[in-house]
Amino acid sequence: MSDAVQQAGSAEEVKPRSVRVVLMALMIAMLLAMLDNMIIGTAMPTIVGELGGLEHLSWVVTAYTLATAASTPIWGKVGDMYGRKGSFLTSIVIFLIGSALSGMAQDMGQLIGFRAIQGLGAGGLMVGVMAIIGDLIPPRERGKYQGMMAGVMALAMIGGPLVGGTITDHMGWRWSFYINLPLGAVALAMVSAVLHLPKKKAQGKIDYLGAALLTVAITSTVLVTTWGGTEYAWGSGQIIGLIVAGVLAVAAFLYVETKAAEPVMPLHIFRSRNFTLMSVIGFLVGFAMFGGVLYLPLFQQAVQGASATNSGLLLLPMLLSMMVVSLIAGRITTSTGKYKVFPIVGGALMVVGLFLLATMDTGTTRLVSGVYMAVLGAGLGFLMQITMLVAQNSVEMRDMGVASSSATLFRTLGGSFGVALMGSLFTSRVTDTMSERLGPQAARAAGSAQLDAASLAKLPEAVRDAYQHAVSAGTHSAFLLGAAIAVLGFALAWFVKEVPLRGAGPAQAGGAGAPAASSPADSFAH
């Protein structure tokens, strides 16, 4: 008897109101995970001013990112083996402990360590949300909720910098961490009270060796993409050593996973063509999205004179477009059960949007750049949730956690690569253009930091003009690279096979919106 049938047999009828309450709690947890870095970024200058340790500033973000990425696959597997609810609640508690400790940090070393604890919890938040939704709602019905998830992402990106600035100015930087506590407490209470999932009994032990090797591989990859071209030259011994360590760890990991009784990332899930394609496309989406989020505000501040305070609002055209399109795509998927067209259309729009952004120069108006951003946002809207939906639909229910964590991990790693490679290209072009216009010495003096609109206004006109042209040239190169990478995603989308979504079978003759009688998730909430 399959996992789906076994779980369906023990399930009761869904109470939509209970499911909505659970989804609300899950969205709060998702908001916690996404909002954190957005808020902290705004507070960092104040934190450094009080705690000192400017030379360790990057580690405040890197420690969190590393811990999140490394723990993501492990949380997914633990949920599959021991039950989704317990692992999810544990991740929330660890995240809140890390938040409270970070708020109490007395020096930069403590803050970095506490941020790592916070990141460990954050790794389980996103995976827990995606996997629980995968358990609760059949893929056919899940499209209805895509707009909600896209809306949370938009809220985090737009509201994060604004909230962070307001909290830091009026309550102090420590409240940038403490703000997580009441939100997390609400999520904890709601999940504990309303979410009821079948208890699981593990058949084996956690694959500790595989988890350790995967952690080494992920850590090496993230450090290479974080340090390469900034802290250390790409050809330096440190970067080469990390690359070698990463390759060896991946090779050893793949070998260990073929022998483990309960592999932390079962390789059989990659036998599904759709799952493998969605993992790669998710990587490319992360590459394009995080690169865009990083360099669009920089272009608008340096070239178009926008205020850094409202940096989240600068992304509004992209984020609104992404949210609306995601909602529409989800509704169509629910009503028709068809989805193959969305990765294709999304891939095409992502290529076009990134290419249009690459054409921006010092004469581009905010209206025009807003239209270009909306095109990119539409492409991301077609892709963001569909990649997760198809990935989850491509595996058995018992692998829902590792499927969700793998898809999340590939998107995270794509973001790391996107920021690193686009950043390296951007910095190189800015330096070259400044040198051409001002000479090497003046270029080093003016281009040693990323300047905001207020700083630019104080520069001599010739230097300001050179810097704006340099940033324009840098963003041109970065987005052109993004467009080239996105072409690969568009090409891969054509190979997606339209496998019927669970919950879309004959049992649904009563209507597209009705829960399927044989769905594995007809009720885990009551």
Side-chain angles (χ1 to χ4, degrees):
M1 186 180 293
S2 70
D3 293 336
V5 174
Q6 285 177 339
Q7 292 186 14
S10 63
E12 300 171 11
E13 188 182 353
V14 175
K15 291 185 181 178
R17 184 181 175 188
S18 295
V19 173
R20 284 197 293 270
V21 173
V22 172
L23 284 173
M24 192 181 301
L26 295 179
M27 293 304 106
I28 292 173
M30 187 174 170
L31 185 64
L32 281 174
M34 303 193 71
L35 199 59
D36 192 73
N37 267 338
M38 298 289 176
I39 290 179
I40 302 309
T42 313
M44 281 313 299
T46 308
I47 294 173
V48 171
E50 183 171 325
L51 298 183
L54 179 62
E55 67 276 13
H56 303 304
L57 173 64
S58 63
W59 273 104
V60 175
V61 176
T62 302
Y64 180 90
T65 305
L66 269 178
T68 301
S71 64
T72 293
I74 300 168
W75 282 115
K77 186 62 180 180
V78 168
D80 283 342
M81 291 179 67
Y82 298 105
R84 209 83 65 207
K85 180 177 179 178
S87 65
F88 185 56
L89 291 174
T90 302
S91 69
I92 295 176
V93 170
I94 293 174
F95 181 83
L96 295 181
I97 289 172
S99 298
L101 291 173
S102 295
M104 295 186 283
Q106 299 302 307
D107 57 50
M108 194 61 84
Q110 288 183 11
L111 181 59
I112 291 168
F114 296 150
R115 284 282 283 166
I117 295 173
Q118 198 182 14
L120 284 175
L125 292 181
M126 287 298 292
V127 174
V129 168
M130 296 302 176
I132 290 171
I133 288 175
D135 275 351
L136 282 176
I137 305 165
R140 175 71 177 257
E141 300 299 305
R142 215 171 297 155
K144 294 177 183 177
Y145 305 99
Q146 285 183 194
M148 186 189 299
M149 289 182 273
V152 169
M153 183 179 297
L155 180 63
M157 290 181 176
I158 296 169
L162 297 174
V163 172
T166 303
I167 289 175
T168 303
D169 290 343
H170 295 94
M171 302 171 69
W173 66 266
R174 296 182 187 277
W175 278 96
S176 297
F177 296 103
Y178 293 151
I179 193 68
N180 292 328
L181 302 181
L183 283 174
V186 170
L188 266 177
M190 292 172 71
V191 171
S192 299
V194 183
L195 179 64
H196 300 278
L197 295 171
K199 292 183 179 179
K200 299 182 181 180
K201 188 175 182 180
Q203 300 300 313
K205 294 182 179 179
I206 293 177
D207 175 21
Y208 291 107
L209 179 57
L213 289 169
L214 184 58
T215 299
V216 171
I218 293 170
T219 300
S220 301
T221 302
V222 173
L223 288 180
V224 165
T225 55
T226 303
W227 285 348
T230 53
E231 295 282 328
Y232 305 102
W234 284 105
S236 66
Q238 291 90 339
I239 297 300
I240 298 298
L242 284 169
I243 292 173
V244 171
V247 171
L248 291 176
V250 168
F253 170 74
L254 293 175
Y255 175 77
V256 168
E257 294 306 273
T258 62
K259 306 295 182 184
E262 282 288 347
V264 70
M265 186 183 289
L267 300 184
H268 68 255
I269 62 177
F270 292 97
R271 291 177 193 154
S272 165
R273 182 172 77 183
N274 274 5
F275 182 84
T276 303
L277 285 172
M278 286 303 153
S279 296
V280 177
I281 291 172
F283 178 93
L284 301 175
V285 168
F287 191 107
M289 186 181 76
F290 286 102
V293 167
L294 182 65
Y295 291 105
L296 281 169
L298 178 61
F299 175 86
Q300 291 192 311
Q301 289 173 42
V303 179
Q304 297 180 327
S307 166
T309 307
N310 298 322
S311 55
L313 295 175
L314 303 177
L315 298 172
L316 197 57
M318 183 178 85
L319 297 171
L320 280 178
S321 173
M322 182 176 73
M323 182 171 65
V324 171
V325 169
S326 181
L327 180 62
I328 293 170
R331 291 288 180 178
I332 293 173
T333 301
T334 296
S335 62
T336 67
K338 306 292 185 183
Y339 55 81
K340 180 175 178 175
V341 66
F342 297 132
I344 295 173
V345 174
L349 287 173
M350 193 163 73
V351 172
V352 173
L354 287 165
F355 180 76
L356 289 173
L357 290 170
T359 66
M360 295 190 302
D361 56 26
T362 53
T364 303
T365 65
R366 290 192 195 180
L367 176 61
V368 171
S369 62
V371 172
Y372 295 169
M373 280 191 280
V375 174
L376 175 60
L380 293 172
F382 279 122
L383 288 164
M384 284 294 292
Q385 304 304 330
I386 288 292
T387 51
M388 180 64 74
L389 173 69
V390 178
Q392 291 180 333
N393 192 61
S394 303
V395 301
E396 295 182 41
M397 288 298 295
R398 65 188 176 91
D399 290 323
M400 186 65 70
V402 291
S404 303
S405 63
S406 299
T408 303
L409 176 63
F410 278 106
R411 189 178 296 175
T412 302
L413 292 179
S416 294
F417 275 92
V419 169
L421 298 181
M422 292 170 82
S424 179
L425 199 58
F426 174 85
T427 303
S428 174
R429 281 301 305 272
V430 167
T431 303
D432 291 346
T433 306
M434 293 286 284
S435 297
E436 289 171 10
R437 289 176 170 264
L438 298 176
Q441 191 170 357
R444 278 194 296 272
S448 58
Q450 293 178 354
L451 305 176
D452 58 23
S455 303
L456 275 171
K458 300 173 184 176
L459 293 175
E461 186 175 348
V463 177
R464 181 169 65 249
D465 182 67
Y467 184 76
Q468 288 177 333
H469 277 87
V471 169
S472 177
T475 51
H476 168 77
S477 297
F479 286 123
L480 210 55
L481 171 64
I485 293 293
V487 169
L488 175 59
F490 173 66
L492 290 175
W494 288 93
F495 294 95
V496 173
K497 185 179 179 182
E498 192 143 51
V499 178
L501 295 173
R502 284 194 290 266
Q508 271 193 290
S518 60
S519 163
D522 272 353
S523 174
F524 296 143
H526 53 78

